[in-house]
Amino acid sequence: MGNVFCTCVDQSSVQVIEQFGKYRRIAQPGFNCVCCCIGEAVAGGMSLRIQQIDCRCETKTKDNVFVEINVSVQYQIQKENLYDAFYKLTDTRAQIMAYVFDEVRAQVPKISLDEVFLAKEEIALAIKAELTKSMSGFGYQIIQTLITDIEPAPKVKNAMNEINAAQRLRLAAYEQSEGEKIRVVKAAEADAEAKYLAGQGIARQRQAIMAGLKESVQSFQTDVTEVGSKDVLTLMLLTQYFDAIKEIGTTGKSTTVFVPNNPGAVADMASQIRAGILEGDAANINRR
């Protein structure tokens, strides 16, 4: 028993047993005996769990912008190729990282910075395909390849943010101007509609005034036959003039109005109104 010792292998792990420096067998998880008397010894162990390597690669895009790309590679040893996985590679992690760097620097320089962000999945698939082709011969299976971060140089990132901010400010200014344009148009339409309605009201008011004057003249001529229609119209216009003066005087916000107040001024005002009517009649005759 002194020439035999025991080794316990953890779950999801294996150990390689050599005899006089030559591969002998694989020790599976659990209790294993190693016979020193026949030259057996534990050469090393391997984990069968899924492992991950994080790579940070700096490269240049097609538009001459340097970016740092973080790539995470998840891989696992193939159970049927334990011998190749243990004896064919000295440093598995360094080998995988070398392949990742090579593929990233082969793919990214073909596209621009904006396209790098859009083609992230395509770049990850290309890296996985290259790693699968290269590492399968060494007994490793590539489970997944992920691009976790794309980081341009700080100055480039700030420039991109400023470009985006300028575009958004320009869009905001455009929308604001469109809103102001709509407000002005709507205000103009409302003002035009208000003036149209006011004009209709003034027209109807004048029609009502004319109808009232016509009715008053006809009624006055019926009662007083010796007075002509022009005299009646002059009298009514004079009455309206005094009513307007009264209205101005009784309004709280009216300004001072100077009007003649001697008895001759009334006759003068009536003659002015009569002269205006005669001039209007003369103009109508000339047009005919």
Side-chain angles (χ1 to χ4, degrees), residues 65-139:
V65 177
F66 282 89
V67 294
E68 290 186 351
I69 298 179
N70 292 342
V71 182
S72 296
V73 180
Q74 299 172 355
Y75 66 98
Q76 186 180 29
I77 296 176
Q78 298 174 350
K79 292 183 179 181
E80 61 274 14
N81 294 318
L82 296 175
Y83 178 88
D84 294 338
F86 187 81
Y87 285 102
K88 284 191 175 182
L89 285 179
T90 303
D91 191 343
T92 304
R93 298 177 67 88
Q95 187 76 11
I96 292 177
M97 292 178 66
Y99 282 120
V100 170
F101 289 163
D102 180 71
E103 190 61 24
V104 168
R105 288 167 180 165
Q107 294 292 330
V108 174
K110 298 178 182 178
I111 55 180
S112 64
L113 178 60
D114 293 336
E115 293 172 341
V116 170
F117 288 93
L118 298 176
K120 185 181 69 171
E121 296 296 332
E122 289 78 0
I123 297 173
L125 290 176
I127 296 173
K128 180 181 178 181
E130 181 63 24
L131 285 174
T132 301
K133 182 177 66 175
S134 302
M135 298 302 295
S136 60
F138 301 117

Side-chain angles (χ1 to χ4, degrees), residues 207-267:
Q207 289 177 357
I209 292 173
M210 293 300 296
L213 289 174
K214 179 179 179 181
E215 183 178 355
S216 299
V217 170
Q218 290 176 351
S219 177
F220 195 88
Q221 284 182 331
T222 301
D223 297 335
V224 184
T225 57
E226 293 83 3
V227 180
S229 60
K230 292 183 179 180
D231 296 331
V232 174
L233 183 59
T234 301
L235 178 61
M236 297 195 65
L237 289 176
L238 189 61
T239 302
Q240 286 189 351
Y241 173 78
F242 284 117
D243 289 340
I245 295 298
K246 178 182 178 182
E247 185 69 22
I248 293 174
T250 57
T251 302
K253 295 182 180 180
S254 61
T255 58
T256 303
V257 179
F258 295 95
V259 295
N261 58 356
N262 55 337
V266 176

